[in-house]
Amino acid sequence: MQILQPQHLLLKPYVKQIHRFTVSPNGLSSMTAIPTGNVFISLFWGSGKYVTRGPSSTERSESGDMFISGQQFEIAHHWVQGGEVNIIGFELTPNAIHQFFGIPQHEMTGQVLSLEDIWGSKASILYQQVIEEPDPAKQLSLVEGFLCKRIIAKEWRESHSIAEANSLIKLSKGNISIKELATTLRISTRSLERKFIEAVGISPKAYCKIIKFNHAFKQLAIYQKDVLDVVHETGYYDQSHFINHFGKVVGMSPAQFLDEQEKLLICFKEDTEDGPMFSLTNALKDVQKLYVL
C-alpha cells in the first residue's frame, strides 16, 4: 500500500492522506477498515468485484465506481472476488464532505453512496478519466483537480470552530467533555452540537467515542496491550464498558478478536514470510497492512 500526501496546497486542510493499493486473490486479498472519525472518497476498478460487509450490515458487491462515505460506527471488512481490484482512497477530514459539496454531512452518516448520486454526470466523467489514465500520478492529479474546483466554487462558509473542535478531540484522544470543548471555543454547547452535526455528521460526543475507540483498538491490536491496560490508558469507565463498546463496533468480544487475529497473523505469515523464523511481535509490523486505521 502507498500512502501519499496531496500535491495541491489548497487540499491540505481537507485531505489527510491518499491510499493507493491493489487487492487480489493472489496477494493482499482483504482488509478491515476501523472507524477513524474521518470520511472517504474512494475509486476502484479492475477485473474483480469489491465486496464489503460490516457486523450489522448486509454484504455489498460492486464491480467498480467512485464512492463517498460518511461517518461510520462499526468496522467494515473488504475483500475481492474473481480478480484484481485497484483502489485509490482519499481520506478526508471529518467535515470535508460538507466543505466540498455543501450538503449537511449528517445526511451521509453511516452511508456509502456513489458520488454520481451527489454530483451527477460530472462524477461519472471523472471516474472514466481516472481509470483510463495509465499514469498513476496523473490519476491522482485528476481527482485533486476536481476537489480543488469544488473548494474554489463553494458558496458556503467554513466553520473554524468545528475545525478547532476536531483538533481538540483528536489531541485528547476522545477524552474531553462537550462542556469543556464549548468553553474552550467560547460558544454554547447547543451551538457546538448544531454546528458539529451539520459539518461532521454526528454529535461531538459520538465523534469522541469514535476517536477513543480507534486509539484503544490500536493499543490492543497493533501494540498487543492487555485489555485492562487499554481500558486504563484510553479513558474507558471500566472493562465492561470497553468490552460492550468493542462488541458494538467489531461484532465480537476483545478475546474473540485477539484469537481471530492470531490465526490471521499465522496465515499472513505463511503468505508473506520465506524464512523459518517467525514471531507474532515481528508479524505485527506487517499486520498493519490488514487494517485501515
Side-chain angles (χ1 to χ4, degrees):
M1 177 190 291
Q2 287 182 292
I3 298 180
L4 309 166
Q5 295 298 314
Q7 296 302 302
H8 288 275
L9 291 176
L10 193 61
L11 296 180
K12 290 191 180 293
Y14 309 104
V15 179
K16 300 286 289 185
Q17 54 191 7
I18 303 166
H19 305 261
R20 176 194 284 277
F21 56 98
T22 299
V23 187
S24 70
N26 298 320
L28 179 62
S29 60
S30 65
M31 299 189 74
T32 298
I34 312 301
T36 63
N38 297 324
V39 294
F40 288 82
I41 292 177
S42 305
L43 303 86
F44 62 88
W45 70 97
S47 59
K49 287 189 174 182
Y50 195 60
V51 188
T52 304
R53 187 184 68 229
S56 62
S57 61
T58 57
E59 186 174 299
R60 175 175 178 166
S61 177
E62 302 285 352
S63 57
D65 203 344
M66 189 170 185
F67 289 94
I68 186 168
S69 61
Q71 291 290 342
Q72 304 296 317
F73 296 108
E74 61 181 26
I75 66 170
H77 302 292
H78 305 270
W79 69 95
V80 296
Q81 291 177 342
E84 184 175 273
V85 176
N86 302 296
I87 300 168
I88 298 174
F90 279 69
E91 183 174 357
L92 311 176
T93 54
N95 63 331
I97 293 177
H98 180 64
Q99 293 304 313
F100 286 133
F101 301 104
I103 59 174
Q105 199 148 309
H106 64 81
E107 295 179 4
M108 287 296 305
T109 299
Q111 301 291 318
V112 179
L113 301 176
S114 171
L115 189 61
E116 187 177 0
D117 294 337
I118 296 173
W119 196 234
S121 61
K122 292 182 180 180
S124 299
I125 293 170
L126 174 63
Y127 175 74
Q128 288 300 321
Q129 289 176 334
V130 171
I131 67 174
E132 291 171 4
E133 172 56 60
D135 186 333
K138 290 181 179 179
Q139 287 179 328
L140 298 183
S141 181
L142 284 166
V143 182
E144 290 194 22
F146 166 79
L147 295 177
C148 283
K149 289 178 182 178
R150 295 301 308 143
I151 289 296
I152 293 171
K154 73 176 183 178
E155 299 177 352
W156 46 92
R157 296 178 60 187
E158 181 174 358
S159 174
H160 295 289
S161 61
I162 296 305
E164 189 175 351
N166 288 335
S167 298
L168 290 169
I169 292 171
K170 288 282 185 72
L171 187 64
S172 71
K173 296 183 173 62
N175 287 297
I176 186 170
S177 70
I178 309 309
K179 184 177 180 180
E180 184 179 351
L181 266 179
T183 300
T184 303
L185 298 172
R186 297 181 179 179
I187 60 176
S188 68
T189 55
R190 185 174 181 178
S191 179
L192 174 61
E193 290 267 356
R194 178 181 55 79
K195 290 181 178 181
F196 208 92
I197 290 172
E198 180 183 39
V200 179
I202 56 178
S203 69
K205 183 177 180 179
Y207 182 71
C208 283
K209 290 181 70 174
I210 291 175
I211 299 305
K212 179 186 287 190
F213 177 82
N214 189 268
H215 177 54
F217 183 88
K218 289 176 183 177
Q219 303 307 305
L220 186 72
I222 304 303
Y223 301 112
Q224 284 195 300
K225 292 189 177 181
D226 181 79
V227 171
L228 286 175
D229 290 335
V230 172
V231 170
H232 176 72
E233 293 177 16
T234 57
Y236 279 89
Y237 182 73
D238 57 24
Q239 185 175 349
S240 177
H241 280 77
F242 173 65
I243 291 174
N244 182 53
H245 190 199
F246 194 96
K248 289 180 179 179
V249 177
V250 181
M252 63 181 74
S253 70
Q256 291 171 318
F257 168 79
L258 291 172
D259 184 56
E260 289 293 321
Q261 178 175 261
E262 185 168 342
K263 294 175 184 176
L264 184 63
L265 282 168
I266 292 172
C267 292
F268 189 67
K269 170 260 180 183
E270 291 173 349
D271 288 339
T272 59
E273 293 286 332
D274 296 324
M277 299 300 293
F278 171 71
S279 73
L280 290 179
T281 301
N282 290 334
L284 285 170
K285 296 177 182 178
D286 289 324
V287 78
Q288 295 183 57
K289 299 174 184 177
L290 303 173
Y291 300 111
V292 179
L293 292 163

